[in-house]
């Protein structure tokens, strides 16, 4: 799904950057030029960033939680 139409940035590209360590909107903006034209994508980009961070934390913690129940 396209998040930034002006720069052609997708949610997959944002998620990949989060996996590489970008955790703030400004990080993504610097790496992918998101929001550099009209700025209407900022809220959507921030949502994708937050979802990606939450998913990575869930998967990072899940094996430890599963092991505690074994």
């Amino acid at each position: 799904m396209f998040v930034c139409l002006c720069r052609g940035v997708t949610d997959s590209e944002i998620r990949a950057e989060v996996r590489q360590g970008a955790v703030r909107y400004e990080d993504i903006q610097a790496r992918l030029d998101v929001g550099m034209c009209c700025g209407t994508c900022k809220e959507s980009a921030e949502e994708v960033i937050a979802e990606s961070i939450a998913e990575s934390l869930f998967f990072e913690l899940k094996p430890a939680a599963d092991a505690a129940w074994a």
Side-chain angles (χ1 to χ4, degrees):
M1 161 184 83
F2 281 99
V3 174
C4 179
L5 294 176
C6 296
R7 299 293 186 176
V9 178
T10 65
D11 62 322
S12 297
E13 291 173 295
I14 293 173
R15 292 177 193 282
E17 291 298 331
V18 170
R19 285 192 298 273
Q20 295 296 318
V23 294
R24 300 176 309 134
Y25 172 75
E26 292 79 9
D27 299 333
I28 299 297
Q29 191 175 39
R31 295 177 184 201
L32 299 175
D33 287 340
V34 171
M36 300 298 278
C37 287
C38 71
T40 59
C41 62
K42 181 178 181 180
E43 187 175 317
S44 296
E46 289 175 329
E47 287 176 16
V48 173
I49 294 164
E51 288 171 6
S52 299
I53 291 169
E55 288 169 3
S56 67
L57 289 174
F58 173 77
F59 288 114
E60 187 176 301
L61 296 175
K62 189 174 185 320
D66 288 346
W69 294 101

